[in-house]
Amino acid sequence: MRRIVAAASLMATMGWGALAWAADAENCKDHPLFSRMSNYEIYGCATTEFDSVAFPKPELKEWASPSDYTEVEGKIHAISYKLKEGATQASALQIVRNFQNAVKKDGGTVLGDYSGELYPSLPETAAKYLGESPGGTSYERYTTMTLTKDGTEFWIYLCASEGDQDYMLLLVEKQEMKQEINVNPPKK
């Protein structure tokens, strides 16, 4: 009888654990580089094998031309999170600081820390990935970071909004493009 009760308890616990993440968007999961903020679920995700994303140069305070950005090429991972229904919301600053502290603790660098007033619009190369969130590309706080993990260099955008109760993680796993096209010799 004890075994049946123990088995039933274990199954119930496992069932509740599965329900905790059951609201995540279909076919989406956290990137292995980061854990997620508690009380948030995945709203949407996208992965692109190779693309380029522009990151603002941190030494500048205005970004008006393409030369004000660093283009980073590689595999793109975009994951948006929304607050679970009825859960306690974290502030945009709390979300940003959590990611910044985790990156710095692991030897990474915070390139920039921006409010919506200072950094009102994202470059199109980032916006096309960051728009898949409850609030679109309207965020109250932004941070850009770099981190090298196991020999792979990651460039990171983290954007957070209190009004839309969401945050967005955009990672560029820096790498060379896989060349698929060759020039064939002319036929004679």
Side-chain angles (χ1 to χ4, degrees), residues 35-95:
S35 59
R36 74 172 77 175
M37 292 290 294
S38 61
N39 295 336
Y40 288 80
E41 60 196 14
I42 298 176
Y43 178 81
C45 65
T47 301
T48 302
E49 287 303 313
F50 187 82
D51 204 352
S52 175
V53 175
F55 286 80
K57 292 183 178 175
E59 66 274 10
L60 302 176
K61 296 299 175 207
E62 291 184 16
W63 302 272
S65 70
S67 64
D68 298 336
Y69 294 87
T70 300
E71 291 283 335
V72 182
E73 295 181 344
K75 187 172 186 175
I76 312 298
H77 306 273
I79 308 166
S80 65
Y81 296 85
K82 68 176 182 172
L83 184 66
K84 292 179 185 178
E85 191 172 326
T88 302
Q89 180 178 351
S91 71
L93 180 61
Q94 181 182 0
I95 294 168

Side-chain angles (χ1 to χ4, degrees), residues 45-174:
C45 65
T47 301
T48 302
E49 287 303 313
F50 187 82
D51 204 352
S52 175
V53 175
F55 286 80
K57 292 183 178 175
E59 66 274 10
L60 302 176
K61 296 299 175 207
E62 291 184 16
W63 302 272
S65 70
S67 64
D68 298 336
Y69 294 87
T70 300
E71 291 283 335
V72 182
E73 295 181 344
K75 187 172 186 175
I76 312 298
H77 306 273
I79 308 166
S80 65
Y81 296 85
K82 68 176 182 172
L83 184 66
K84 292 179 185 178
E85 191 172 326
T88 302
Q89 180 178 351
S91 71
L93 180 61
Q94 181 182 0
I95 294 168
V96 166
R97 291 289 185 262
N98 263 278
F99 278 88
Q100 289 174 337
N101 291 342
V103 165
K104 288 189 287 189
K105 183 178 178 183
D106 214 38
T109 303
V110 174
L111 299 174
D113 186 355
Y114 314 100
S115 68
E117 295 84 42
L118 176 63
Y119 192 61
S121 63
L122 293 161
E124 181 55 37
T125 58
K128 70 182 180 182
Y129 293 106
L130 294 171
E132 179 60 34
S133 70
T137 58
S138 175
Y139 297 100
E140 292 155 6
R141 291 202 70 91
Y142 306 83
T143 189
T144 52
M145 304 168 282
T146 60
L147 176 65
T148 300
K149 190 80 172 167
D150 299 327
T152 301
E153 183 179 347
F154 291 92
W155 286 64
I156 305 151
Y157 266 104
L158 186 281
C159 310
S161 172
E162 291 172 29
D164 294 308
Q165 302 178 340
D166 67 335
Y167 72 93
M168 183 77 180
L169 182 62
L170 174 63
L171 298 104
V172 180
E173 188 176 333
K174 191 173 179 183

Side-chain angles (χ1 to χ4, degrees), residues 168-185:
M168 183 77 180
L169 182 62
L170 174 63
L171 298 104
V172 180
E173 188 176 333
K174 191 173 179 183
Q175 60 189 21
E176 297 291 320
M177 182 187 72
K178 178 185 170 197
Q179 183 63 38
E180 297 182 37
I181 303 295
N182 294 308
V183 175
N184 296 321

